[in-house]
Amino acid sequence: LEIYGRNVNPTNRGRAINTDFADFESDKEYDILLANNSLCGYDLSSLEPIKKLLLPVREGGLAIITLPSNESDWVKYANMFWETIHRDKPKKTRFESFLDAFSRSGIEHQYSIVNAPVTFNQDNPDQSLQAIFNVMLYSDPTNPNYESCFRKFKEQVLQKGALNFVYGI
């Protein structure tokens, strides 16, 4: 996208559409669909959502989807604390779910699994780990269950000494 931005005259560019994909409808087709960590709640229980997902991609176009993998610490910790913080089951679609859905649908695809180690301030881990925790769990520090969950998260991460996110692309 950076190369595209440098090399394609602005008058010839398409437009970015920043919206909830479930609500997106268009008669147009696009060269690139980029869903960067944004399809976590996408329902893949039937083939219809997969067809709708790729509908706006022009033949020969490219859909790039990135999501956390089931192998990611992101998923491990989200599964561990989500229900306590939000009082419901996690409804997150992971990268492997898309691979399975594409295979079931006969959709040609390529993928890579990428390790993304997370660095945090070892001298003062509270601030950086709290920011990571808040993003992973869409959590609010005013939640009555927040503090105990964050404390357990921090203990486990510090004991492990690392936090590794794994993404599928």
Side-chain angles (χ1 to χ4, degrees):
L1 290 175
E2 184 179 316
I3 292 166
Y4 174 80
R6 283 194 312 260
N7 295 309
V8 176
N9 182 321
T11 58
N12 296 331
R13 291 183 195 167
R15 62 187 177 100
I17 300 168
N18 189 10
T19 187
D20 183 343
F21 194 81
D23 298 330
F24 177 73
E25 294 199 17
S26 175
D27 294 337
K28 296 181 181 182
E29 291 181 318
Y30 298 90
D31 294 319
I32 299 173
L33 172 104
L34 175 61
N36 185 21
N37 212 28
S38 58
L39 296 174
C40 285
Y42 202 69
D43 178 16
L44 299 170
S45 57
S46 74
L47 298 181
E48 287 305 311
I50 296 298
K51 291 175 185 172
K52 182 179 180 188
L53 175 69
L54 299 176
L55 193 61
V57 179
R58 180 174 290 139
E59 186 175 334
L62 183 63
I64 303 170
I65 299 168
T66 65
L67 283 170
S69 165
N70 287 322
E71 303 301 315
S72 182
D73 282 346
W74 177 300
V75 174
K76 173 186 169 187
Y77 289 116
N79 286 342
M80 193 178 296
F81 298 113
W82 186 273
E83 195 169 345
T84 303
I85 288 179
H86 296 285
R87 297 287 186 222
D88 65 357
K89 299 269 186 216
K91 299 177 187 96
K92 296 295 178 190
T93 306
R94 302 303 177 199
F95 186 72
E96 290 80 0
S97 304
F98 272 92
L99 291 180
D100 178 61
F102 287 159
S103 293
R104 283 185 293 130
S105 301
I107 295 170
E108 183 181 331
H109 59 281
Q110 298 174 2
Y111 71 93
S112 294
I113 301 294
V114 178
N115 286 311
V118 177
T119 56
F120 54 91
N121 185 335
Q122 296 284 352
D123 296 329
N124 182 11
D126 279 19
Q127 186 175 12
S128 51
L129 287 178
Q130 194 165 28
I132 292 164
F133 187 78
N134 292 350
V135 170
M136 274 188 337
L137 289 155
Y138 307 96
S139 58
D140 177 358
T142 63
N143 181 305
N145 298 313
Y146 179 90
E147 196 58 44
S148 64
C149 289
F150 174 69
R151 195 171 39 254
K152 288 177 193 169
F153 167 74
K154 183 175 87 172
E155 287 170 12
Q156 289 185 18
V157 171
L158 292 177
Q159 183 178 22
K160 185 177 168 184
L163 190 58
N164 191 42
F165 289 172
V166 179
Y167 288 92
I169 300 173

